[in-house]
Amino acid sequence: MLGWLWSLVPYQQVARHLLVEEGEVVIDEVAHHWVVYLRPLLEVVAVAGVFVAFLFGPVSVGWLLLLTVFALLVHAGWSALSAHMDRFVVTNMRVFRIRGVVSRSIATMPMSRILDITVEQPALGRLLGYGHLVFESAAQQQGLRDIRYVGHPNARDLTIQRVVQRLGLRGPRKVRPPG
């Protein structure tokens, strides 16, 4: 039953945005960390409380409580679906972000434009294993400046740095002599 229900949830189609004929392949596809789903979950818990108030409360305000239940459920579902449909993708040529449920927004940055990546991990992020990536590039105002709530942000940063290094964009590799 849960498998069938999960199959109804839409998924962001990353493959259709790849330059396959140019040899572009996905290195890492990053979804949000589970912590972004806590707020929608708390809203669903609030729905349960309001629904109990609807069942046992005064009839005169029952319509308002039922409307509140409906509004909270819609908001929680939309928030969770919006977070689920937000993807950050690292390929061998570029990084891009696809987000949106009904309408789509795609922001792309070639690897050669990435000047610096800052990894920010708040105290709670260090405990739970999430952080934020802040990209610095020549064009500061773009859709890829802040990627928030990324699981294992240091590993994701190293993945991007490896791709940049393999492309030869940061100077020659230094080969250490054996010994």
Side-chain angles (χ1 to χ4, degrees):
M1 175 70 175
L2 285 177
W4 173 80
L5 193 59
W6 184 250
S7 71
L8 296 177
V9 177
Y11 180 75
Q12 200 65 270
Q13 301 293 326
V14 171
R16 73 169 61 161
H17 300 285
L18 296 178
L19 302 169
V20 178
E21 59 277 350
E22 301 296 327
E24 186 174 33
V25 294
V26 173
I27 305 294
D28 194 8
E29 182 178 340
V30 182
H32 281 291
H33 190 266
W34 61 265
V35 78
V36 300
Y37 298 104
L38 285 180
R39 190 175 87 188
L41 181 65
L42 290 174
E43 288 179 7
V44 170
V45 169
V47 162
V50 174
F51 190 71
V52 167
F54 165 74
L55 291 176
F56 298 108
V59 175
S60 61
V61 293
W63 65 272
L64 182 62
L65 294 175
L66 195 57
L67 187 64
T68 303
V69 164
F70 179 71
L72 279 173
L73 274 178
V74 167
H75 186 265
W78 186 262
S79 296
L81 186 59
S82 181
H84 173 72
M85 296 292 284
D86 189 358
R87 300 289 177 179
F88 175 67
V89 181
V90 180
T91 74
N92 58 336
M93 298 177 166
R94 61 189 171 139
V95 293
F96 63 94
R97 181 181 187 182
I98 305 173
R99 60 183 168 168
V101 178
V102 177
S103 60
R104 296 278 191 271
S105 170
I106 302 171
T108 302
M109 184 186 322
M111 288 293 182
S112 60
R113 299 280 308 263
I114 298 174
L115 300 177
D116 189 30
I117 302 171
T118 303
V119 176
E120 296 176 351
Q121 271 192 294
L124 187 59
R126 289 179 54 102
L127 287 172
L128 299 177
Y130 74 87
H132 316 299
L133 300 177
V134 180
F135 286 86
E136 306 273 336
S137 74
Q140 287 297 317
Q141 297 299 327
Q142 76 269 346
L144 277 173
R145 177 154 168 72
D146 295 311
I147 308 296
R148 302 185 56 76
Y149 299 103
V150 173
H152 311 290
N154 292 318
R156 295 311 182 4
D157 175 44
L158 288 175
T159 299
I160 295 169
Q161 297 301 336
R162 275 190 209 97
V163 172
V164 168
Q165 185 65 35
R166 287 181 185 147
L167 291 173
L169 299 173
R170 296 292 186 263
R173 287 185 182 177
K174 292 183 181 179
V175 179
R176 296 182 185 196

